[in-house]
mmCIF file of all heavy atoms in Angstrom:
data_model
loop_
_atom_site.group_PDB
_atom_site.id
_atom_site.type_symbol
_atom_site.label_atom_id
_atom_site.label_comp_id
_atom_site.label_asym_id
_atom_site.label_seq_id
_atom_site.Cartn_x
_atom_site.Cartn_y
_atom_site.Cartn_z
ATOM 1 N N LEU A 780 -11.000 -7.409 35.093
ATOM 2 C CA LEU A 780 -11.996 -7.506 36.165
ATOM 3 C C LEU A 780 -11.412 -8.020 37.473
ATOM 4 O O LEU A 780 -12.056 -7.918 38.513
ATOM 5 C CB LEU A 780 -13.128 -8.442 35.726
ATOM 6 C CG LEU A 780 -14.028 -7.899 34.611
ATOM 7 C CD1 LEU A 780 -14.921 -9.007 34.084
ATOM 8 C CD2 LEU A 780 -14.877 -6.738 35.106
ATOM 9 N N GLY A 781 -10.221 -8.571 37.407
ATOM 10 C CA GLY A 781 -9.658 -9.197 38.614
ATOM 11 C C GLY A 781 -9.983 -10.680 38.588
ATOM 12 O O GLY A 781 -11.039 -11.083 38.085
ATOM 13 N N LYS A 782 -9.092 -11.475 39.143
ATOM 14 C CA LYS A 782 -9.148 -12.932 38.975
ATOM 15 C C LYS A 782 -10.456 -13.579 39.452
ATOM 16 O O LYS A 782 -11.026 -14.430 38.778
ATOM 17 C CB LYS A 782 -7.955 -13.550 39.725
ATOM 18 C CG LYS A 782 -7.509 -14.862 39.143
ATOM 19 C CD LYS A 782 -6.201 -15.293 39.753
ATOM 20 C CE LYS A 782 -6.043 -16.800 39.692
ATOM 21 N NZ LYS A 782 -6.711 -17.505 40.759
ATOM 22 N N SER A 783 -10.950 -13.123 40.616
ATOM 23 C CA SER A 783 -12.077 -13.847 41.220
ATOM 24 C C SER A 783 -13.451 -13.444 40.665
ATOM 25 O O SER A 783 -14.441 -14.134 40.879
ATOM 26 C CB SER A 783 -12.042 -13.628 42.735
ATOM 27 O OG SER A 783 -12.122 -12.231 42.981
ATOM 28 N N TYR A 784 -13.511 -12.328 39.951
ATOM 29 C CA TYR A 784 -14.815 -11.776 39.575
ATOM 30 C C TYR A 784 -15.650 -12.741 38.718
ATOM 31 O O TYR A 784 -16.860 -12.829 38.875
ATOM 32 C CB TYR A 784 -14.622 -10.437 38.844
ATOM 33 C CG TYR A 784 -15.904 -9.645 38.704
ATOM 34 C CD1 TYR A 784 -16.487 -9.032 39.802
ATOM 35 C CD2 TYR A 784 -16.530 -9.527 37.471
ATOM 36 C CE1 TYR A 784 -17.660 -8.323 39.685
ATOM 37 C CE2 TYR A 784 -17.712 -8.804 37.334
ATOM 38 C CZ TYR A 784 -18.272 -8.212 38.446
ATOM 39 O OH TYR A 784 -19.443 -7.502 38.329
ATOM 40 N N LEU A 785 -14.986 -13.437 37.791
ATOM 41 C CA LEU A 785 -15.744 -14.333 36.902
ATOM 42 C C LEU A 785 -15.651 -15.793 37.336
ATOM 43 O O LEU A 785 -15.888 -16.694 36.538
ATOM 44 C CB LEU A 785 -15.248 -14.171 35.458
ATOM 45 C CG LEU A 785 -15.554 -12.839 34.748
ATOM 46 C CD1 LEU A 785 -14.919 -12.804 33.375
ATOM 47 C CD2 LEU A 785 -17.064 -12.621 34.624
ATOM 48 N N GLU A 786 -15.296 -16.025 38.586
ATOM 49 C CA GLU A 786 -15.185 -17.413 39.049
ATOM 50 C C GLU A 786 -16.529 -17.956 39.497
ATOM 51 O O GLU A 786 -17.418 -17.206 39.881
ATOM 52 C CB GLU A 786 -14.159 -17.500 40.189
ATOM 53 C CG GLU A 786 -12.775 -17.829 39.656
ATOM 54 C CD GLU A 786 -11.705 -17.772 40.734
ATOM 55 O OE1 GLU A 786 -12.041 -17.629 41.924
ATOM 56 O OE2 GLU A 786 -10.524 -17.857 40.360
ATOM 57 N N GLY A 787 -16.668 -19.263 39.463
ATOM 58 C CA GLY A 787 -17.913 -19.889 39.924
ATOM 59 C C GLY A 787 -18.731 -20.415 38.761
ATOM 60 O O GLY A 787 -18.738 -19.823 37.676
ATOM 61 N N GLU A 788 -19.403 -21.518 39.016
ATOM 62 C CA GLU A 788 -20.172 -22.182 37.942
ATOM 63 C C GLU A 788 -21.351 -21.341 37.465
ATOM 64 O O GLU A 788 -21.745 -21.415 36.312
ATOM 65 C CB GLU A 788 -20.686 -23.527 38.444
ATOM 66 C CG GLU A 788 -19.670 -24.633 38.228
ATOM 67 C CD GLU A 788 -20.154 -25.944 38.802
ATOM 68 O OE1 GLU A 788 -21.383 -26.170 38.813
ATOM 69 O OE2 GLU A 788 -19.292 -26.712 39.257
ATOM 70 N N HIS A 789 -21.910 -20.540 38.397
ATOM 71 C CA HIS A 789 -23.092 -19.752 38.034
ATOM 72 C C HIS A 789 -22.806 -18.763 36.907
ATOM 73 O O HIS A 789 -23.700 -18.384 36.169
ATOM 74 C CB HIS A 789 -23.627 -19.009 39.273
ATOM 75 C CG HIS A 789 -22.715 -17.908 39.741
ATOM 76 N ND1 HIS A 789 -21.476 -18.154 40.272
ATOM 77 C CD2 HIS A 789 -22.861 -16.560 39.718
ATOM 78 C CE1 HIS A 789 -20.896 -16.994 40.574
ATOM 79 N NE2 HIS A 789 -21.722 -16.013 40.250
ATOM 80 N N VAL A 790 -21.527 -18.355 36.763
ATOM 81 C CA VAL A 790 -21.177 -17.356 35.743
ATOM 82 C C VAL A 790 -21.521 -17.873 34.342
ATOM 83 O O VAL A 790 -22.148 -17.166 33.541
ATOM 84 C CB VAL A 790 -19.661 -17.006 35.842
ATOM 85 C CG1 VAL A 790 -19.199 -16.233 34.628
ATOM 86 C CG2 VAL A 790 -19.406 -16.191 37.106
ATOM 87 N N GLU A 791 -21.170 -19.131 34.095
ATOM 88 C CA GLU A 791 -21.438 -19.702 32.774
ATOM 89 C C GLU A 791 -22.953 -19.780 32.509
ATOM 90 O O GLU A 791 -23.427 -19.427 31.422
ATOM 91 C CB GLU A 791 -20.792 -21.091 32.701
ATOM 92 C CG GLU A 791 -20.386 -21.437 31.289
ATOM 93 C CD GLU A 791 -19.625 -22.747 31.189
ATOM 94 O OE1 GLU A 791 -18.668 -22.938 31.966
ATOM 95 O OE2 GLU A 791 -19.994 -23.558 30.330
ATOM 96 N N THR A 792 -23.687 -20.191 33.542
ATOM 97 C CA THR A 792 -25.143 -20.291 33.403
ATOM 98 C C THR A 792 -25.765 -18.919 33.168
ATOM 99 O O THR A 792 -26.639 -18.757 32.310
ATOM 100 C CB THR A 792 -25.760 -20.887 34.701
ATOM 101 O OG1 THR A 792 -24.893 -21.916 35.166
ATOM 102 C CG2 THR A 792 -27.147 -21.406 34.461
#
Side-chain angles (χ1 to χ4, degrees):
L780 290 169
K782 207 170 154 277
S783 59
Y784 193 72
L785 291 176
E786 267 174 8
E788 273 177 31
H789 69 293
V790 167
E791 209 175 311
T792 321

